[in-house]
Amino acid sequence: MSLDPTSRVYVAGHRGLVGSAIWRRLEAAGFTDLVGASSAELDLRDREATFAFLAEHRPAIVVDAAARVGGILANRDHPTEFLSDNLRIQVNLMDAALAVRTPRLLFLGSSCIYPKYAEQPIRESSLLTGELEPTNDAYAIAKIAGIMQVQAVRRQHGLPWISAMPTNLYGPNDNFDPTSSHVLPALIRRFDEARRTDAAEVVLWGSGTPRREFLHVDDLADACLHLLQNYDAPEPINVGVGSDVTIRELAELVARVVGYTGAISNDLSKPDGTPRKLLDVSRLLALGWKPSIDLEDGVAATYAWYLEHAS
C-alpha cells in the first residue's frame, strides 16, 4: 500500500515512548505533514474535543500510540483507570476517525492481550483462547476491545484499518518512574542508583525466572511504517524480535551495562506475572521486516539517554 509522504499523519501520543519514535521514523522517511497534540492540548478521553480535533485536521493516516500504560505494580493497583482511560481513548479516537472517514489507521495494542498460559511462541490465533494474566487483565481487555473495533470498522465500513501487537518495549522517552515503570527502565534506574550509592545488593521482584521479549522502540517504529505500507488484514499482527531472556538475565545485562558489581537477590513475596511471553513474529517476518537493534546495544543506548535526560 503506497503512502504519499505529503499525506497528513496524526500520531496520537506523539510525546510518549512509542509515539515519539514513530514521529522520528516518519520524519526520517520524508513525511512532511505530521500532526500531534499533547495530553494538555487534547485529552482523548474527552469525546467532544477528540471529534473536534479530527474534524479540524482530517488526517489521511492515524497512528494510535496513545494509552495509559504502566508496569506490573501500576496495573495491579489501578485496574479501574487502566480499563476506563484506555477504553475511552480508543473509542473516542476511532469513532472520530470514522466520522471523517480516515482512510488508514494503525491501532497499537500489547502482547498482554494473549492468555497467560498461551502456547509459546504466541501466535495471533491465540487471542481469546484462555484466561488473562490477572495483574494486567484490565489493560488487556481494553486493548482487545480496540482490536475488535478495528475489525468492526473494516467489516462494516470497508476501511483498511489495522492493528499491531508489540512485545515489551524500551528506549528513549521511556518512563523511569520507580512506581509506574515497566521492568527494563525500572532496572536501569535501580541499578544506576545502586551504582551511585555503592549499594551492596539490588533486590528483584519475584523469582527472576519469567522470560520476556524486548524490542527497541525504534525497531517498533520502523515496523509500524512497514505495516502501514505492506499490511492489510483484519487480524492483529505481532511485532517483536522472536527471542527472549529471563528477568534474571535481563538484570545481569543491565548491571553490566550500568557498571554495577554488587549482588543481585530476589524477593519471592512479589508476583512474577506471566511465566513466559514470547511472540511468534513469523507473519511479520514474511512481510519482509526484521529487527535491527541488539538487546545489549539497545540497553546501552537507553542508559545513555537516561543519564542525559532523566537522571
Side-chain angles (χ1 to χ4, degrees), residues 119-177:
E119 183 181 348
Q120 304 289 323
I122 306 172
R123 298 182 300 274
E124 290 89 349
S125 58
S126 295
L127 181 62
L128 297 177
T129 60
E131 65 181 274
L132 299 167
E133 160 58 40
T135 56
N136 59 10
D137 54 2
Y139 181 72
I141 287 292
K143 289 300 182 180
I144 291 170
I147 296 170
M148 297 298 117
Q149 189 168 359
V150 166
Q151 293 177 339
V153 168
R154 291 181 64 99
R155 186 166 61 248
Q156 184 174 345
H157 300 279
L159 294 172
W161 292 9
I162 57 175
S163 57
M165 301 300 113
T167 189
N168 299 289
L169 301 169
Y170 70 99
N173 288 317
D174 211 336
N175 171 24
F176 294 87
D177 183 84

Side-chain angles (χ1 to χ4, degrees), residues 94-112:
M94 284 195 256
D95 282 354
L98 179 60
V100 297
R101 302 293 295 187
T102 298
R104 191 77 162 139
L105 180 144
L106 169 59
F107 170 72
L108 290 168
S110 166
S111 58
C112 72

Side-chain angles (χ1 to χ4, degrees), residues 174 176 189 305-311:
D174 211 336
F176 294 87
R189 180 185 180 117
W305 185 93
Y306 171 76
L307 291 176
E308 183 177 354
H309 295 89
S311 61

Side-chain angles (χ1 to χ4, degrees), residues 13-77:
H14 77 293
R15 290 189 175 178
L17 170 68
V18 174
S20 62
I22 292 171
W23 189 284
R24 291 193 303 271
R25 183 65 185 91
L26 291 170
E27 282 187 327
F31 283 80
T32 56
D33 191 1
L34 302 183
V35 175
S38 69
S39 57
E41 296 167 326
L42 173 63
D43 184 350
L44 290 169
R45 297 171 300 179
D46 183 330
R47 187 169 178 85
E48 183 176 339
T50 303
F51 269 71
F53 184 86
L54 269 290
E56 176 186 355
H57 294 284
R58 305 188 72 87
I61 302 168
V62 169
V63 179
D64 183 6
R68 183 186 183 113
V69 298
I72 189 171
L73 179 63
N75 273 273
R76 186 196 67 182
D77 293 347

Side-chain angles (χ1 to χ4, degrees), residues 126-307:
S126 295
L127 181 62
L128 297 177
T129 60
E131 65 181 274
L132 299 167
E133 160 58 40
T135 56
N136 59 10
D137 54 2
Y139 181 72
I141 287 292
K143 289 300 182 180
I144 291 170
I147 296 170
M148 297 298 117
Q149 189 168 359
V150 166
Q151 293 177 339
V153 168
R154 291 181 64 99
R155 186 166 61 248
Q156 184 174 345
H157 300 279
L159 294 172
W161 292 9
I162 57 175
S163 57
M165 301 300 113
T167 189
N168 299 289
L169 301 169
Y170 70 99
N173 288 317
D174 211 336
N175 171 24
F176 294 87
D177 183 84
T179 60
S180 62
S181 59
H182 289 97
V183 60
L184 206 161
L187 289 175
I188 288 176
R189 180 185 180 117
R190 293 181 63 202
F191 278 107
D192 179 67
E193 290 177 349
R195 179 188 62 82
R196 292 171 184 264
T197 60
D198 292 322
E201 70 171 357
V202 171
V203 181
L204 304 180
W205 270 41
S207 66
T209 59
R211 303 187 67 89
R212 294 291 183 269
E213 177 183 17
F214 295 93
L215 177 71
H216 193 282
V217 71
D218 287 345
D219 270 342
L220 170 64
D222 188 63
C224 287
L225 179 56
H226 191 83
L227 289 170
L228 285 168
Q229 294 169 325
N230 296 282
Y231 186 67
D232 183 17
E235 298 81 15
I237 187 165
N238 290 337
V239 184
V241 298
S243 61
D244 57 7
V245 295
T246 68
I247 297 300
R248 177 74 186 202
E249 290 168 340
L250 177 68
E252 291 170 349
L253 185 155
V254 172
R256 184 166 63 250
V257 167
V258 169
Y260 173 75
T261 56
I264 302 174
S265 61
N266 296 88
D267 182 353
L268 299 181
S269 70
K270 296 296 193 294
D272 272 339
T274 302
R276 191 182 191 195
K277 194 166 59 172
L278 174 65
L279 295 183
D280 181 336
V281 293
S282 57
R283 292 176 64 220
L284 178 58
L285 297 180
L287 292 174
W289 182 87
K290 62 180 180 180
S292 62
I293 302 173
D294 171 79
L295 180 58
E296 186 152 354
D297 292 341
V299 169
T302 303
Y303 180 50
W305 185 93
Y306 171 76
L307 291 176

